[in-house]
Amino acid sequence: AIQMTQSPSSLSASVGDRVIITCRASQGIGNDLAWYQQKPGKAPKLLIYTVSSLQSGVPSRFSGSGSGTDFTLTISSLQPEDFATYYCLQDYIYPWTFGQGTKVEIK
Amino acid sequence: QVQLVESGGGVVQPGKSLRLSCAASSFTFSTYAMHWVRQAPAKGLEWVAVISSNGNNKYYADSVKGRFTISRDNSKNTLHLLMNSLKPEDTSVYYCANAFGVVPLSDWGQGTLVTVSS
């Protein structure tokens, strides 16, 4: 199975900060990479699919980039509602696999 | 709006079976692939299984292969997960989610908790 490695595992940031989360695949996955946000006790929410396509209703401060094996999620200006855990997902080949998550906390 | 409602979770002894269901509404269920994803307490997300829109193709995570069976009833807009030979490490919140085209896991249910314990 393809392994997805996220970094960092956690970070502390302030409102207004630019935040970058990275995800590395153990082999090439084309552009089949998605990002999810999860808040405590809630189901995950799709933010971005096919590396950089913004899901309907997701604020434009979220963006994705990358190709092949290395991908990033960028939050251009962190808002209070963005404190959550973020996961990448490869949907290139079954079994689909998630990264281990990045917890974004308030500094 | 799209609604996915899981049911069937609970406490079950190791080695026993449990069947989860996911009732779908407000989208054309028969045209979407459907997935199960789970999350152990205080852990990350783990993809479990998928079934194609017509039910002909199914794939599983290695951790559940041979024990879990995914199925669907398009006439009732319902997804199922039959879990046999349950182990304590299967303890998780189980979510159902839909997928269409290049958009993976776009809508999710609220989850149902399965606890495997003696």
Side-chain angles (χ1 to χ4, degrees):
Chain A
I2 296 176
Q3 284 194 319
M4 305 300 291
T5 304
Q6 277 183 243
S7 61
S9 297
S10 64
L11 64 90
S12 295
S14 301
V15 173
D17 284 353
R18 180 183 178 91
V19 169
I20 298 174
I21 298 169
T22 66
C23 185
R24 173 166 287 176
S26 59
Q27 65 184 75
I29 58 171
N31 66 345
D32 294 330
L33 191 284
W35 291 96
Y36 293 82
Q37 176 194 68
Q38 187 180 31
K39 296 182 179 179
K42 300 293 187 181
K45 173 187 174 183
L46 176 65
L47 299 176
I48 288 170
Y49 60 95
T50 56
V51 177
S52 59
S53 299
L54 203 63
Q55 175 71 338
S56 176
V58 174
S60 59
R61 63 180 179 273
F62 291 93
S63 65
S65 63
S67 64
T69 60
D70 294 303
F71 305 90
T72 61
L73 172 70
T74 301
I75 310 173
S76 60
S77 177
L78 198 66
Q79 298 302 300
E81 60 268 30
D82 301 337
F83 292 96
T85 300
Y86 294 84
Y87 296 91
C88 61
L89 166 74
Q90 69 80 16
D91 59 312
Y92 177 72
I93 192 169
Y94 292 119
W96 288 3
T97 41
F98 288 93
Q100 80 278 15
T102 296
K103 187 173 185 179
V104 177
E105 299 176 300
I106 301 173
K107 182 183 269 186
Chain B
Q1 83 208 43
V2 171
Q3 201 164 20
L4 294 166
V5 179
E6 301 94 338
S7 61
V11 180
V12 61
Q13 293 179 330
K16 299 295 188 180
S17 299
L18 203 61
R19 188 195 196 206
L20 305 183
S21 297
C22 170
S25 59
S26 300
F27 67 101
T28 309
F29 181 75
S30 62
T31 64
Y32 281 67
M34 294 298 297
H35 298 251
W36 289 98
V37 175
R38 69 183 181 182
Q39 187 168 36
K43 299 294 185 182
L45 301 170
E46 180 185 15
W47 178 86
V48 173
V50 60
I51 185 168
S52 60
S53 58
N54 61 11
N56 287 347
N57 296 298
K58 305 173 186 180
Y59 298 92
Y60 299 91
D62 288 345
S63 58
V64 307
K65 200 175 297 183
R67 300 188 299 122
F68 289 13
T69 302
I70 189 171
S71 63
R72 66 190 296 159
D73 185 340
N74 285 347
S75 68
K76 296 182 179 178
N77 289 355
T78 304
L79 174 72
H80 300 288
L81 184 69
L82 176 61
M83 305 184 292
N84 293 326
S85 304
L86 282 162
K87 306 175 181 180
E89 52 264 40
D90 295 318
T91 295
S92 291
V93 173
Y94 285 75
Y95 297 99
C96 62
N98 61 11
F100 187 85
V102 298
V103 185
L105 308 178
S106 54
D107 301 295
W108 296 63
Q110 84 288 351
T112 188
L113 176 62
V114 173
T115 302
V116 185
S117 172
S118 53

